[in-house]
């Protein structure tokens, strides 16, 4: 499986380089990353947040294709991407994807221990999505994994990792709440310091106006989301699920708020019941993808971190058929996302049957509900964890 991933990265790097493949193609996520990295060096990164200008830049880069990818990332991510503009796009993709994939796999292996292969099989299609579009979810999922690994023993390291999640802050909300509820002030203040320091650096490099541009792009993208301009069928939020099922934007948003409250309620209950840290962190990880309406199929890798943490407890408490559902259901979620991602990368054909419903949005809720029910409604004690050896820093919590 690791060999297949290595081959896939190399082939995709050739695709980005247009070496016999991808000669006439739509832009995908890493193309957008590369464009913004170039804007950083040109001193015009604020244009990335001005959609009227960005759409022209992307159309020129794609050779006339009309697809458009709005830019709503905080300037910290733009700064992180800047060095990749100094090398050709294919090599940039290779370095970015290979390094973040290696980091994610290393963190996942540290958490999963002897069950690494099982988790890798479950997540394999979702890994394929990220490789197909060159997204940053290997990096964000690895950062969440580092928060979990070092939360107890090295809270400063966990705080740095949590602070670096400023590149996708909506996926870190549950962990910020968890750290506050646990009164882990080293984690909280270190994360805040990282956010503050990086914001000061970005302000010094890009100017104060970069924040005004960011806020405007967030407002514009919110309007786009409400009007259904985003590929909702690739999202895994309840908002996307309800919206693609025909519910109004306001009704779908109410559903999203309800699910977000329930997700944060799970974090609160896990802390209040003083569950073993491995279990409470795992629950926080799996519900973290339910908070925001803006969660894509590739963000499901964070769920994999939570699943790896929870496997010992699930093996001890879940029935065989329940474990079967937990192992199997993530695979079609990732597989459908992979097919959609590759289709979008190949051309801009009219939507097909799989481009209608947010299947992942409908599937992820019962999956998470099943896991939460097993761990919260059945007895869960420290003896559960002690009965199954763990590895790494989590071995002692």
């Amino acid at each position: 499986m690791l060999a297949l991933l290595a081959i896939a990265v190399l082939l995709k790097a050739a695709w980005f380089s247009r070496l016999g493949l991808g000669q006439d193609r739509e832009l995908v996520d890493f193309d957008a990353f590369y464009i913004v990295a170039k804007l950083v060096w040109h001193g015009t990164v604020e244009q990335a947040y001005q959609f009227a200008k960005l759409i022209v830049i992307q159309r020129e880069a794609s050779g006339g294709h009309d697809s458009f990818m709005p830019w709503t990332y905080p300037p910290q991510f733009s700064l992180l991407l800047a060095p990749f503009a100094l090398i050709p796009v294919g090599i940039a993709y290779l370095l970015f994807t290979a390094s973040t994939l290696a980091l994610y796999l290393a963190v996942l292996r540290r958490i999963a221990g002897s069950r690494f292969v099982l988790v890798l099989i479950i997540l394999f299609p979702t890994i394929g999505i990220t490789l197909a579009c060159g997204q940053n979810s290997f990096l964000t999922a690895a950062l969440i994994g580092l928060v979990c690994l070092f939360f107890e023993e090295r809270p400063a390291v966990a705080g740095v990792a949590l602070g670096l999640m400023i590149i996708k802050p909506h996926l870190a909300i549950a962990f910020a709440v968890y750290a506050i509820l646990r009164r882990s002030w080293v984690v909280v203040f270190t994360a805040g310091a990282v956010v503050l320091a990086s914001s000061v650096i970005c302000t010094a490099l890009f100017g104060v106006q970069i924040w005004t541009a960011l806020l405007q792009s967030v407002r514009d993208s919110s309007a786009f989301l409400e009007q259904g301009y985003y590929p909702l069928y690739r999202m895994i939020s309840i908002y996307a699920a309800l919206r693609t099922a025909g519910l109004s934007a306001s009704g779908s948003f109410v559903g999203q708020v309800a699910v977000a409250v329930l997700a944060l309620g799970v974090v609160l209950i896990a802390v209040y019941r003083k569950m073993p840290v491995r279990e409470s962190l795992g629950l926080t990880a799996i519900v973290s993808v339910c908070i925001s309406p803006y969660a894509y199929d590739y963000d499901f890798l964070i769920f994999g971190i939570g699943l790896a943490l929870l496997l010992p407890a699930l093996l001890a408490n879940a029935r065989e058929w329940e474990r079967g559902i937990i192992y199997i259901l993530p695979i079609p979620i990732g597989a459908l996302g992979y097919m959609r991602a590759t289709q979008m990368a190949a051309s801009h054909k009219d939507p097909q049957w799989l481009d209608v419903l947010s299947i992942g949005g409908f599937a992820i809720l019962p999956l998470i509900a099943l896991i939460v029910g097993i761990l919260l409604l059945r007895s869960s004690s420290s003896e559960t964890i002690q009965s199954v050896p763990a590895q790494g820093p989590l071995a002692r919590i």
Side-chain angles (χ1 to χ4, degrees):
M1 293 177 72
L2 294 176
L4 286 175
L5 291 177
I7 294 171
V9 171
L10 292 174
L11 290 176
K12 200 66 182 183
W15 184 86
F16 272 99
S17 301
R18 291 183 166 88
L19 299 178
L21 299 170
Q23 293 292 337
D24 181 26
R25 61 174 178 83
E26 295 279 0
L27 297 182
V28 295
D29 298 70
F30 190 78
D31 291 307
F33 294 175
Y34 194 72
I35 289 171
V36 172
K38 284 188 173 182
L39 292 178
V40 172
W41 290 104
H42 293 160
T44 57
V45 69
E46 70 278 357
Q47 292 184 4
Y49 300 101
Q50 300 167 11
F51 292 172
K53 294 182 179 179
L54 183 60
I55 193 171
V56 174
I57 297 172
Q58 291 185 358
R59 184 179 291 119
E60 292 176 352
S62 66
H65 289 296
D66 292 328
S67 62
F68 174 57
M69 290 174 286
W71 188 260
T72 56
Y73 285 100
Q76 285 91 333
F77 188 56
S78 302
L79 185 60
L80 182 150
L81 292 171
F84 293 99
L86 302 177
I87 53 180
V89 62
I91 300 176
Y93 166 85
L94 179 64
L95 292 178
F96 179 80
T97 303
S99 60
T100 55
L101 173 60
L103 177 62
Y104 176 67
L105 293 177
V107 172
L108 188 65
R109 173 68 177 84
R110 186 86 174 270
I111 294 174
S114 61
R115 299 170 188 85
F116 173 65
V117 174
L118 172 61
V119 180
L120 187 60
I121 292 171
I122 295 170
L123 296 176
F124 203 72
T126 308
I127 293 174
I129 299 171
T130 309
L131 293 179
C133 61
Q135 249 294 337
N136 61 9
S137 51
F138 292 140
L139 176 59
T140 53
L143 289 173
I144 292 297
L146 290 173
V147 174
C148 297
L149 272 174
F150 297 109
F151 192 89
E152 286 287 296
E153 288 197 345
R154 301 180 66 181
V157 176
V160 170
L162 184 59
L164 290 175
M165 280 298 294
I166 186 61
I167 63 175
K168 268 192 176 178
H170 57 287
L171 297 177
I173 294 173
F175 279 93
V177 172
Y178 178 83
I180 293 172
L181 291 175
R182 284 285 311 277
R183 298 180 183 179
S184 301
W185 303 124
V186 174
V187 174
V188 173
F189 291 129
T190 303
V194 170
V195 172
L196 179 61
S198 62
S199 299
V200 170
I201 293 172
C202 289
T203 303
L205 292 175
F206 303 139
V208 178
Q209 67 276 6
I210 196 67
W211 302 107
T212 304
L214 171 63
L215 291 176
Q216 183 58 49
S217 72
V218 170
R219 285 193 289 267
D220 292 341
S221 65
S222 298
F224 287 176
L225 184 64
E226 181 179 352
Q227 296 167 20
Y229 291 155
Y230 282 100
L232 296 174
Y233 52 84
R234 282 199 58 197
M235 294 185 178
I236 57 174
S237 65
I238 190 60
Y239 175 89
L242 295 176
R243 197 79 172 88
T244 57
L247 199 64
S248 66
S250 58
S252 301
F253 184 73
V254 170
Q256 181 64 55
V257 171
V259 169
V261 170
L262 289 173
L264 294 178
V266 170
V267 177
L268 177 62
I269 292 172
V271 174
Y272 176 76
R273 288 181 53 176
K274 297 182 179 180
M275 297 179 68
V277 176
R278 184 178 183 110
E279 291 184 20
S280 60
L281 285 169
L283 287 173
T284 303
I286 66 170
V287 302
S288 64
V289 295
C290 299
I291 306 294
S292 170
Y294 195 83
Y296 272 88
D297 41 24
Y298 42 74
D299 295 321
F300 193 63
L301 289 176
I302 293 177
F303 173 91
I305 294 292
L307 180 61
L309 286 163
L310 296 174
L311 271 179
L314 291 174
L315 288 170
N317 292 294
R319 300 181 179 93
E320 186 175 354
W321 66 269
E322 292 171 330
R323 293 198 300 271
I325 293 175
I326 293 168
Y327 297 162
I328 293 173
L329 194 54
I331 296 177
I333 294 175
L336 286 170
Y338 176 76
M339 288 189 288
R340 289 162 168 167
T342 52
Q343 175 188 327
M344 291 177 65
S347 65
H348 55 287
K349 298 177 182 178
D350 293 333
Q352 300 178 2
W353 66 270
L354 52 79
D355 297 346
V356 179
L357 286 175
S358 169
I359 297 175
F362 283 111
I364 194 172
L365 279 187
L367 175 62
I368 292 177
L370 175 60
I371 295 174
V372 171
I374 291 170
L375 296 180
L376 293 187
L377 300 181
R378 297 176 190 169
S379 60
S380 179
S381 65
S382 59
E383 294 178 0
T384 297
I385 301 302
Q386 292 171 2
S387 65
V388 185
Q391 298 185 8
L394 292 168
R396 288 183 290 276
I397 61 177

